[in-house]
Amino acid sequence: MRVPLSWLREYVEVPADAAPEDILAALVSVGFEEEDVHGFDLTGPIVVGRVVSFEPEPQSNGKTIRWCQVDVGEANGGVRGIVCGAGNFFEGDKVVVTLPGAVLPGPFPIAARKTYGHVSDGMIASAKELGLGDEHSGILRLTELGLDSDEDAPVGTDAIALLGLDDAAIDVNVTPDRGYALSVRGIAREYSHATGAAFRDPGLREFDELEHPATGFDVAVDDQAPIRGRVGATEFAVRVVSGVDPSRPTPPWMVARLTLAGIRSLGILIDITNYVMLELGNPIHGYDLDKLTGGITVRRATAGEKLTTLDGKERTLDGEDLLITDESGPIGLAGVMGGGTTEMTDATRNVLIEAAIFDTVTIARTARRHKLPSEASRRFERGVDPLLPFVAARRVADLMVELAGGTLEPVGGALFGEVFLEAIDLPRGFVAGLIGIDYTDDEVVSALETIGAEVTDTDAGWEVIPPSWRPDLTDKWTLAEEVARIHGLDRVPSVLPTAPSGRGLTDAQKGRRRVSNALAAAGFVETPSFPFTTRDSNDLHGSASGEELPSVKIANPLDGQAPYLRRSLVPGLLQVAHRNVSRGLTDLALFEVGAVFLPEPGQQYGTATVPPLAARPDDATLAELHASIPPQPRHVAVLVAGNVAPKSPGHAAVAADLSDVFAAVAAIGSAAGVDIEISQARRAALHPGRAAALTVGGVEVGYAGELHPEVSAAADLSGRVLVAEIDLDAVLASAGERVVVASLSGYPAATQDVSLVVPADVTAGALASALSEGAGQLLESLRLVDDYRGAGVPEGSKSLTFALRFRADDRTLTAAEASEAKLAGVAVAAERFGAVIRD
């Protein structure tokens, strides 16, 4: 919310020497976030000048310039010669002249310079150059602002002060629960809370004083389908102003304030409605009364009904949309945007002013449904003071009479809603117990009365009626927050709470963290990615054979080319790898831990009804919601590409291979507390012969291997790309609740190697399993170190060499014991596969 300081000072006593930063600091002390300070960024001399004469001078480029003589006052050098390219002014017009030494927004310094054969001693400025609007087709004529008399704008007068360009605006971030602060009224009140400065409420007018007519113009609310039983409009007030002159200029002070507040001037009638909205926080809409047919009815739309809004777009309406209608049909999207058929124009002579209170949920849903956020919807969806509509409508009417020459008619219409503010019981001592500060009773009461609440003593504490503009105050906890806020959040001590015993991370959470830490320690970089992909990617990476699989399609995807939820983490890693390679980072070791979405074949997901907001669903509804989503297990995936060791003096680069991705699998298994077995397999996305299935206890939990060259090329990745993906939930479940670390033996190990000749179709994993089974408990580790096929080995066979390490827990092994265990393993291998020891 941008608030011009001159406007703020009308309603709260701000010290004359207070800088914008001082005001922001005060608002920060009561819980607001400062954003920025905005100004017109002008430096004088910028003065009022009178065009004495001008000579048109056609140029060779087809353009005609004017060589002007402009009187800027004796104190500023009298008459100056200025070159101007605009043609929308006349002799005798008063204009804004920027003299040499001035600086316009940009920054754009002004200096005397030679141009078109003359020395231009300054510049005649346009509204855009001064920051007052977007108009740049001609210069700003003060007569258009109603400042053509010598009394209003004497020649030589400082134009910065005259036009309100010496003002500045503070910008604060207003959180959704504080909609009342989207107004000068609200910010002024909060500054008063922070500093104790006197506050004058612009919305504080007695109802009787307004003399609001309730007859003469028909107004009705016919809401046949209220959302959650809340009628779409609870209050609706209209006033009629006749005989307005829409050609009258908007006063410079109003244009300057609107501009600083971030709203451009659109003509006196619309400017007045915007001005009052910013001032009071109640959005206002004005209709051309002569374009209306009959009275106004507020109702829900009929599904498929059409409405052309003020932005010129025809919108298809939903049955939940709330409409403003007359006898001709829809004329506005209530609380969001008016319709084009009844908008105020330069031909408008009679205005119907509307000020209302609309249901917050209805407005929020409509604005989002039509992707039509507006200043009005922003305020209505946060809640508007229900006592404001009549005040706001009268304020707009008064300004139209004063500034647009209209007459306030004694006709109008109104729907009155009962404003019931439920009292909240605040126990004595509750605030101190919750906040942790020993507030006195007087401090609690004074804080609540400061924000506008009515406080009544009771035996147990107080009965508090919150002010009408604070719909966020609903219980004793929100009241306690207000007490803390008003008396200073800096008083709240910074104390870490004591964690209750028996709580903390679950076993699954601890397991996931161990796996992530293990991969990070092994040199992998975690790269979370979006869970959106294509159906082809799901089919390719989500199954072993690449067949078509059921996938969850998003109704409103961020990217229309990737509308499905992922079944695998690998596509996301490939996107990250592609992005890194395109930026010259070719050596990659990546991992991700995240959810995948695995809908079961034939199962329908989703729910036909959406539970209401602001209410906890019952157990049956929660069960239905849980059943409406597919299984979402957490997986872990790794990707290795490029070199694992860079080239260095005397050493060649070491390219990534299958051993690196298998090492990552081993690190995952170790961190999870399980042994992951690797066996040869086939997978559509992986290179034939370089793919492995990963199992735990005989149950497959994932895969690893080298991507098929065509898959790598499709991701624009050259060279070998190694990947692995594991169902982390399944792995952690198989590990049990506790990981037991084996004790270390203090006795030395005995190492031996063995080379076995086996048929070429025998996998290394199967042979290793046979050796391990036969060697028994003395075998501590077994590792494949060579795969030889060539001279000395029969055709159709291969020689596999394993490094064996033996160790006993209670003694030092002898070479004979190690050899005996090795030969026992060889015997099992020979029995199963016909393995023989290679000479």
Side-chain angles (χ1 to χ4, degrees), residues 592-676:
E592 179 178 0
V593 175
V596 296
F597 306 84
L598 307 178
E600 298 174 356
Q603 181 70 33
Q604 294 295 325
Y605 295 99
T607 178
T609 59
V610 177
L613 301 176
R616 177 180 171 80
D618 56 29
D619 292 342
T621 303
L622 287 174
E624 181 184 354
L625 289 173
H626 286 304
S628 69
I629 58 177
Q632 300 176 28
R634 289 183 181 270
H635 282 198
V636 57
V638 299
L639 179 148
V640 185
N643 297 324
V644 293
K647 181 180 180 181
S648 59
H651 297 278
V654 179
D657 60 19
L658 284 172
S659 64
D660 298 299
V661 78
F662 289 156
V665 170
I668 294 171
S670 177
V674 299
D675 292 324
I676 299 179

Side-chain angles (χ1 to χ4, degrees), residues 743-750 778 780 805-814 817:
S743 59
L744 297 178
S745 172
Y747 294 94
L778 293 180
E780 185 177 75
R805 185 169 67 228
F806 300 94
R807 194 193 307 267
D809 295 332
D810 56 352
R811 66 189 188 283
T812 300
L813 288 178
T814 64
E817 288 177 309

Side-chain angles (χ1 to χ4, degrees), residues 10 80 123 139 156 195 235 265 294 368 406 428 485 545 592 620 665 685 700 719 721 735:
E10 289 188 4
R80 296 192 182 215
M123 186 183 78
I139 59 95
T195 63
E235 294 186 25
S265 176
R368 285 158 180 74
R428 187 172 279 104
R485 187 175 69 91
S545 58
E592 179 178 0
V665 170
E700 185 171 334
V721 180

